[in-house]
Structures are given as structure tokens and as C-alpha cells.
Amino acid sequence: MNWYPWLNEPYRQIIANYQSGRGHHALLLHSLPGNGADALCYGIGRWLICQDREGLKSCGKCHSCRLMLAGTHPDYHVIDVEKGKSTVSVDAVRKLIETLSSHSQQGGNKVVYIPRIEAFTDAAANALLKTLEEPAKDTYFLLSSDKPENLLATTRSRCLSHFLPAPDPQIALYWLQKQQPNVVVDHAITALKLCQGAPVAALALLEEHLWQKRNALCQSISTALQTRDMLSLLPRLNIEEASAALSWLLTLLSDAVKVQQGATTFCINQDHLAQVMQLASTMNRSQLLEAYEQWLHCRYQLLTVPALNQELILTNQLLQWEALLASPSF
């Protein structure tokens, strides 16, 4: 598991609370995707399960630490969405509760890490409530979510919430440059803005295959606007990373509104200002806002509705965009 420098301070704060007896048995970590929450939870879990701690650090040498490093510790449980599914079922929670009811196999703490608690079905979340409120002795829960507003209020009320902010932009930029020494600085800054300042997500976006997909989408918008053939954008949107592609499109539309309001310097897509300007000159403010709302709803559907036909919904939305462009200015 990688460790990131911006996690040092929140890690110290959380571990210090446990050392002083103020640490909560159920910690809910709220963080942006790609901000290192998984690494932070793993680090906390290692400290909790270590049998020979060295202050704020796990020793890395005891039997429990060696099992953690090998990924085989029997008292460290990860409850995540299974491959091919989109939610965590109540059966998985019942199995966990049964496991936790027995004694620790290594004689120390038991730790449960739930990286996406928002993926629990309502039945699964409700089944966990009693255990979450009154866990067995020496049992700790580490929950992570980038959408805590989607959690049941009863789940949130049983946890101590901790917000993990994105690091200072200069720290994030320095880290990105260390990871990719040849990265263009302006590209790194843009990637960070597109990822709301989350460095790990920005690093993934800067990978050549993904960055090229973004560039291809931005460039294709010029031709689509000129020909009024928005359906030509379908191959650029109907990709495995469709959710990310729609996020890129949404930032272009919002940047176009900024241009119309005289706030060009605040645009995110500084490397594709030509396309932003074209959007701003082709569509009026009402059309831009209408298109933004439509695409935002489209993205929400793709993220939340199971078994949705992605190509069909994208096609429908592109045709609606064409109709919007053809309509009289309003």
C-alpha cells in the first residue's frame, strides 16, 4: 500500500486520539476519490492491529504486522463490493457479524475496513447498525465514503466522522512532478483541478491513455459544434470511463459560462480554451445551463441506475443537445 505525504498530519491526529483513549470504535472517513483514503485507513488499521506499537507507528516486525503486510491477517476484514456487483448485500454483513462474534484469532484487536459504505444496500446497512453501535470487545470499524450524504442517518450517527481534505495545491503539484518528472506543469495543474485537488486521481488522469481520451473529446467538440452533429461525439463518450468523460464535458460547459461572464482566468480547461470559447460563442447562457443540467442528470443515471444501457442513454442525450442547439435562442 502506497503512503502519501499529505496523510501524515491526519494520521497523527487520529492515532493520537486512540492513544489518549478518545478514539472512536467506528471511524467514518469522508474523502474525495483519489485522495489516499484507502492508504490512511490501512495505516490506521495496521496500528490498531499491531501487537508491539512504536508510538505513532506500527512496528512492522511482530507477527500481526507480518500478516498485515502479507494481506493474510485473519482479524483484518475488508468488506467491499464483489466483482460484477454494484452493492454489498445483507448476506455479506450477516457473515461478517458472525465472524466478529468469535474471539480474535491472534489475540489482539479485530479491524473491519469498509472502503465504500455507500455501496451497502439499505438492508445491509440496517443489519450492521447494532454491531456498529455496540461492537464486540476490541473491535474497530474503519469506514470510507466519498458520498456520506447518501448514507443512512442511522449509520452516520453511530460513527465519528473525519473529513480528509485535498492537500495544498503546491504540495499536490510537487508530488505529481515527483511521480511524473516529465509532466507538463500546466497539464498537471489542469488534472488537479479536474480531480478537485485529489493527487492520486490526478496522477491516474495524466496516464497517457486517459489523457488522450480527454484530449480527443475536447477536440471532437469543435467539429461537432461546426456541423451541429453532436451524435458524432458518441464514440468519445461511450467508453469504459464514461462517467469521467461526462465530468470532463461538464467542466467544458461550466467553463463556457465563465467565459460569458468575463471570468476566463478561472476556467479549468486552460489547455482547451479554443473549444471553451467555441461553446461560449455557439450557445447562449440559458442553453449552456440547460445542457449542463441535462448532462449532469445523465451522469447521475449512469452512476446510480443498475443495468442501464449506456450507449442508448448517451445517444438520447446527444440528440437532445442537437435539439437544444437547433432551438431559437431563449
Side-chain angles (χ1 to χ4, degrees), residues 109-157:
N109 291 330
K110 291 176 284 187
V111 177
V112 179
Y113 172 43
I114 304 176
R116 288 180 286 177
I117 183 63
E118 68 274 8
F120 274 42
T121 63
D122 286 352
N126 284 322
L128 186 65
L129 288 180
K130 182 173 176 57
T131 303
L132 200 58
E133 184 173 15
E134 298 178 359
K137 187 176 182 295
D138 298 327
T139 300
Y140 295 88
F141 287 86
L142 302 173
L143 292 71
S144 179
S145 176
D146 57 10
K147 298 181 181 68
E149 66 278 4
N150 292 346
L151 304 183
L152 295 178
T154 46
T155 297
R156 294 199 305 270
S157 67

Side-chain angles (χ1 to χ4, degrees), residues 197-263:
V200 183
L203 181 64
L205 175 56
L206 286 168
E207 290 293 329
E208 186 175 0
H209 76 284
L210 200 54
W211 194 250
Q212 285 182 348
K213 288 181 179 180
R214 171 184 170 262
N215 287 338
L217 172 63
C218 293
Q219 292 160 3
S220 297
I221 284 177
S222 290
T223 303
L225 288 172
Q226 289 169 1
T227 60
R228 293 295 196 273
D229 179 15
M230 307 315 289
L231 198 56
S232 64
L233 294 174
L234 183 60
R236 304 301 184 191
L237 295 174
N238 189 31
I239 57 178
E240 184 179 350
E241 306 87 356
S243 175
L246 294 189
S247 295
W248 305 332
L249 178 57
L250 286 165
T251 64
L252 291 167
L253 291 167
S254 63
D255 278 353
V257 174
K258 295 173 190 175
V259 168
Q260 291 182 349
Q261 300 300 310

Side-chain angles (χ1 to χ4, degrees), residues 230-231 233-234 237 246 249 253 290-299 301-302 310-324:
M230 307 315 289
L231 198 56
L233 294 174
L234 183 60
L237 295 174
L246 294 189
L249 178 57
L253 291 167
E290 176 69 18
Y292 186 93
E293 289 296 325
Q294 290 178 358
W295 281 112
L296 190 64
H297 179 65
C298 178
R299 182 175 180 273
Q301 285 183 301
L302 289 178
Q310 177 174 294
E311 183 175 4
L312 184 61
I313 193 171
L314 290 172
T315 299
N316 179 63
Q317 190 54 56
L318 287 167
L319 291 173
Q320 287 190 48
W321 197 1
E322 279 190 20
L324 184 62

Side-chain angles (χ1 to χ4, degrees), residues 70-215:
T72 57
H73 201 297
D75 298 319
Y76 184 74
H77 309 279
V78 180
I79 308 300
D80 200 359
V81 178
E82 294 180 9
K83 188 175 182 180
K85 297 184 178 179
S86 59
T87 59
V88 175
S89 70
V90 67
D91 290 336
V93 173
R94 288 170 179 160
K95 183 178 179 181
L96 170 68
I97 294 171
E98 183 180 351
T99 301
L100 294 177
S101 65
S102 59
H103 292 292
S104 164
Q105 293 190 39
Q106 293 299 312
N109 291 330
K110 291 176 284 187
V111 177
V112 179
Y113 172 43
I114 304 176
R116 288 180 286 177
I117 183 63
E118 68 274 8
F120 274 42
T121 63
D122 286 352
N126 284 322
L128 186 65
L129 288 180
K130 182 173 176 57
T131 303
L132 200 58
E133 184 173 15
E134 298 178 359
K137 187 176 182 295
D138 298 327
T139 300
Y140 295 88
F141 287 86
L142 302 173
L143 292 71
S144 179
S145 176
D146 57 10
K147 298 181 181 68
E149 66 278 4
N150 292 346
L151 304 183
L152 295 178
T154 46
T155 297
R156 294 199 305 270
S157 67
R158 285 160 171 78
C159 303
L160 176 67
S161 294
H162 185 97
F163 176 64
L164 178 63
D168 180 274
Q170 290 304 314
I171 293 175
L173 180 60
Y174 176 77
W175 180 82
L176 275 179
Q177 290 175 306
K178 291 282 286 184
Q179 306 306 307
Q180 282 198 6
N182 298 322
V183 68
V184 178
V185 174
D186 287 345
H187 290 178
I189 293 172
T190 298
L192 281 168
K193 289 180 178 179
L194 286 167
C195 298
Q196 298 177 278
V200 183
L203 181 64
L205 175 56
L206 286 168
E207 290 293 329
E208 186 175 0
H209 76 284
L210 200 54
W211 194 250
Q212 285 182 348
K213 288 181 179 180
R214 171 184 170 262
N215 287 338

